[in-house]
Structure formats: C-alpha cells, structure tokens
Amino acid sequence: MQIPTHLAIIMDGNGRWAEQRRLPRILGHRKGVESVQNIVSECLDLGIRYLTLYAFSSENWMRPQEEVEALMTLLGTFLKKELSQLQKMGIRLMAVGELDRLPKSISEILKDSIKKTADNDRMVLNLALSYGSRDELTRAMRTLGREIAKGTLQADDLTEADIEAALDTHSIPDPDLLIRTSGEMRISNFLLWQTAYTELYFTETLWPDFSREQLLLAIEEYSRRQRRFGLTGAQLRESKVDGWEGRH
Ligand code: IPE
Ligand code: IPE
Ligand code: MG
C-alpha cells in the first residue's frame, strides 16, 4: 500500500451525527474529538508524516455564538489534555489559520504546545484553526505586496515559490490525499493553492464514525490512483518514477 506523505482531512458531519440521535450538536463535536485522537494514532502507526485536520473554518465563526463558544472550550480542553500524549508519541504540533482571532487563552495554550513539541519528529499534526484559504492567500499577498513596495522583491521576479513561502503552510509539503467525510463534495475554502494536485476522496461516513477501517479504505483507493501531474500515462511508465511522488 502506498502511504501518503501528507494526509489532509475535512472532518465533517459532527452536527448531523448528533442530530440523528436527537442529541445537542456539541455532543457530536465531543464524539468528533474521540475520532481525532483515534485517527492521529492510526496515522502515526501507518507512517504518515504530516496530518492536517480542518478543525474550524473562517466561516465557522458565523455559527450560533453558543456553538462557537462550545467548540472553543472543546479545543482548549483537547489541547491541554493532548500535550503529554503528543510528547509521548513524538508528534510535533503545528497550526495554520488566523490564529489571532482565537480566544487569548486558547492561542496561548496552542503556542505553548507548538513550542514544546517543536523537536518531535515522528509526525506533524497540523491543525487548521480559524482557517480559510482565501484569507490565507490574502494575508500572503499583503506580505508580498509590502516586500514589493519596499523594493526587496521585484513584481516581475515573483515566483510560485515566493507565494508558497508566504503561505501559512510554508514548511509543509502539499497534501497527497484529501479526505472529506459526511458525503459533502466540496472544498469549503480549504487549502485551495496546496491541493492543486491532491487526490480527493469523499466518504458518506460522518466524522464521529470515521475509524481505522475507513482510513484504510481511503488509503487503498489512493494507492490504486495514478498521479500524472499533467503528463501522459506512457511518460510515467517510461520515467519509472512511481507516480512522480518526489515532484511535490
Ligand atoms: C464539522 O462538523 C465540525 C466543524 C465544522 C467545526 P459540522 O458541525 O459541520 O457537522 P454538520 O455538517 O453540521 O453535520
Ligand atoms: C468545513 O465544514 C469546515 C470544517 C470541517 C472545520 P463545514 O461544515 O463548515 O462546511 P460547509 O458549510 O458544509 O461547506
Ligand atoms: Mg458541516
């Protein structure tokens, strides 16, 4: 089985999981955290090097205040509880998104955990928090615009690498596989630049029900795909470089 270097997941369906059981939505989110803990350790076992989880989007701020507050509380509890586990498992925590928008108490725990796990090298757990791809690209363009205005960068010399370097994900390779749970077939403002050549996998399973079995199904399907990066199948067979994995 071909294991993706970088797996990204849009963890969707917590609310519906709860609603189907006539439970408050927040219980779905709480159950979703158990899936996170489970999938993090499965990914580590499989040898995945980078796992990016879409946990809270820029647009999710517009949800009812009660749900936003409950999600923030859940995030704080998760971060506090998980630090010792991350250390034990050798996982480095990273985060992308507009982190300044998070409540101060949470951004402080987050920064602290990121710092304390910085030397761990078995896997990167990258949380997308208050993340929106258009927001990330807008902030990147502001950074580049300032450099052009200062004269440290020439507009005509701007490269794809400069844009990549200005993104929140600058130290992380592009995702090889993106999974979205709950049957929705959209990207919802997630990693628009970075998923240019990512394999997409959609499953009806709701995030709280997503287990090792579903993860293996997704990776098996990924293993059967031929990643062509714009080339022909014949070119790939000639190059003998399996799927051109090294290209990105
Ligand atoms: C995903 O589950 C978690 C977040 C967006 C925070 P949802 O809360 O979107 O669940 P559904 O889509 O309403 O079922
Ligand atoms: C995407 O799910 C964001 C996260 C999983 C954090 P949403 O439930 O917010 O997406 P839409 O609203 O269905 O597009
Ligand atoms: Mg949803």
Side-chain angles (χ1 to χ4, degrees), residues 137-170:
L137 283 160
T138 306
R139 286 185 286 107
M141 286 182 204
R142 284 191 201 128
T143 305
L144 294 168
R146 277 192 296 268
E147 283 188 35
I148 292 170
K150 267 198 305 197
T152 49
L153 180 69
Q154 299 305 309
D156 288 336
D157 295 339
L158 189 72
T159 62
E160 289 188 9
D162 292 323
I163 295 174
E164 255 155 26
L167 295 173
D168 295 351
T169 52
H170 56 85

Side-chain angles (χ1 to χ4, degrees), residues 12-26:
D12 199 9
N14 294 348
R16 275 163 287 167
W17 184 93
E19 282 158 15
Q20 283 171 3
R21 289 161 178 77
R22 301 184 193 286
L23 295 169
R25 290 176 58 87
I26 188 63

